[in-house]
Amino acid sequence: MSPLRKPKDLRHYPRQQGLCGPVLFVPPGVKPDDVTDDMILPGSNIVLGPYAGDAKIKDVDFVRSSNRPKDCPKDDRPEFAMLGRSNVGKSSLINFLVRKKEVALTSKKPGKTQLINHFLVNKSWYIVDLPGYGFANAPESARMDWSSFTKGYFLNRETLVSVLLLIDGSVPPQKIDLDCANWLGRNNISMTFVFTKCDKMKGGKGRRPDENIRNFLELIKENYQQHPPWIMTSSVTGLGRDELLLHMSQLRNYWNNE
């Protein structure tokens, strides 16, 4: 494996704590026994460590849309890939993170993102908007091709720091999300579960987001010896924005310094 990618180094250590009693994500540079409650980012299982740095987004520029992994930018800048079901609120989360409207294409019709879209942040790292899975308002040929070119990106992209796998926190766990998480895990691809829409419940009758998250993590625990990091967000209320950017900064800074 290329030295640029270090998914095994971004490991998590066993420690029970937090919303659902999950294993904490302890980043490089922190000893598990030294973790205190004030080091844990709110609404997450993520410990803040010494690699966390400036998380402010000063500027963002669209760079390129690619329909094949080999057409993606070829510089050595680190990148985070956004992945999730087509109606999970992926584009809204990107706009929410960068605090600019329409940086990513948003639509009431799921499946608008059909390509691999690179956005350059602070002229130093990328947010990558990937096609949603589970439903696509696209021709059948495009839907059939999605899996192959997206998986090729994950398996071959040496500058990929981590996948941000978006999960709708307002609904119960979905099999397609669990299947995607399991595929990423089996292929040793670093990921963070980003639970979206944590400000609401479907129709006011569904389970609370924290219950849905607890159930999702319990199902994942059956297939993982170690939990990936996870965090609650809402593009409506601003929940989790600063915390997610801090988490991304420590992963990025470790990637840059190793």
Side-chain angles (χ1 to χ4, degrees):
M1 180 177 290
S2 166
L4 287 175
R5 290 184 65 186
K6 296 176 281 295
K8 290 183 179 179
D9 292 336
L10 300 176
R11 56 188 178 270
H12 5 87
Y13 300 92
R15 179 185 165 98
Q16 297 297 322
Q17 186 75 35
L19 171 73
C20 307
V23 176
L24 289 179
F25 173 81
V26 182
V30 177
K31 295 180 180 179
D33 292 340
D34 292 340
V35 174
T36 58
D37 289 345
D38 61 355
M39 296 168 64
I40 305 168
L41 294 174
S44 80
N45 73 332
I46 298 167
V47 174
L48 199 62
Y51 282 96
D54 185 4
K56 292 181 180 179
I57 292 183
K58 300 175 179 122
D59 60 76
V60 57
D61 299 294
F62 171 74
V63 174
R64 181 181 302 171
S65 290
S66 309
N67 57 16
R68 297 176 300 179
K70 68 179 184 180
D71 295 329
C72 293
K74 294 180 172 58
D75 55 52
D76 291 330
R77 294 183 177 99
E79 58 194 46
F80 293 86
M82 299 277 193
L83 179 67
R85 284 189 294 118
S86 296
N87 59 349
V88 76
K90 180 163 51 68
S91 295
S92 295
L93 181 71
I94 294 174
N95 294 335
F96 155 67
L97 286 177
V98 304
R99 285 185 170 162
K100 288 187 177 181
K101 293 183 178 180
E102 298 180 354
V103 167
L105 181 63
T106 58
S107 173
K108 293 183 179 179
K109 295 181 178 180
K112 292 293 288 186
T113 302
Q114 302 289 322
L115 302 170
I116 303 172
N117 298 302
H118 275 73
F119 298 91
L120 183 61
V121 181
N122 297 343
K123 297 180 173 55
S124 62
W125 57 280
Y126 289 109
I127 289 175
V128 184
D129 187 12
L130 295 173
Y133 56 79
F135 173 85
N137 184 21
E140 183 177 357
S141 59
R143 292 200 299 269
M144 292 174 62
D145 190 56
W146 176 88
S147 177
S148 61
F149 89 75
T150 305
K151 288 180 178 179
Y153 166 84
F154 293 136
L155 295 173
N156 301 310
R157 190 68 176 164
E158 293 185 337
T159 50
L160 178 62
V161 175
S162 185
V163 175
L164 304 184
L165 181 57
L166 277 58
I167 309 294
D168 188 341
S170 69
V171 299
Q174 305 293 301
K175 182 179 183 300
I176 193 167
D177 292 328
L178 296 167
D179 289 345
C180 181
N182 288 333
W183 185 89
L184 291 168
R186 284 196 304 272
N187 286 278
N188 198 33
I189 295 170
S190 176
M191 68 177 134
T192 296
F193 296 131
V194 179
F195 292 99
T196 64
K197 306 181 184 180
C198 288
D199 57 289
K200 64 182 181 180
M201 295 180 292
K202 295 290 186 183
K205 297 181 181 179
R207 293 182 181 273
R208 291 164 46 90
D210 54 351
E211 293 180 272
N212 293 325
I213 293 170
R214 181 180 296 111
N215 292 338
F216 185 91
L217 295 175
E218 282 297 319
L219 291 170
I220 285 297
K221 188 164 63 175
E222 296 176 2
N223 299 301
Y224 286 79
Q225 293 183 349
Q226 298 171 323
H227 270 298
W230 61 265
I231 187 168
M232 301 171 72
T233 68
S234 168
S235 59
V236 175
T237 66
L239 174 69
R241 177 187 184 271
D242 294 343
E243 290 79 8
L244 179 55
L245 288 174
L246 277 170
H247 171 59
M248 294 166 70
S249 79
Q250 63 183 4
L251 297 185
R252 185 174 68 250
N253 289 335
Y254 177 73
W255 189 94
N256 278 328
N257 284 281
E258 291 296 316

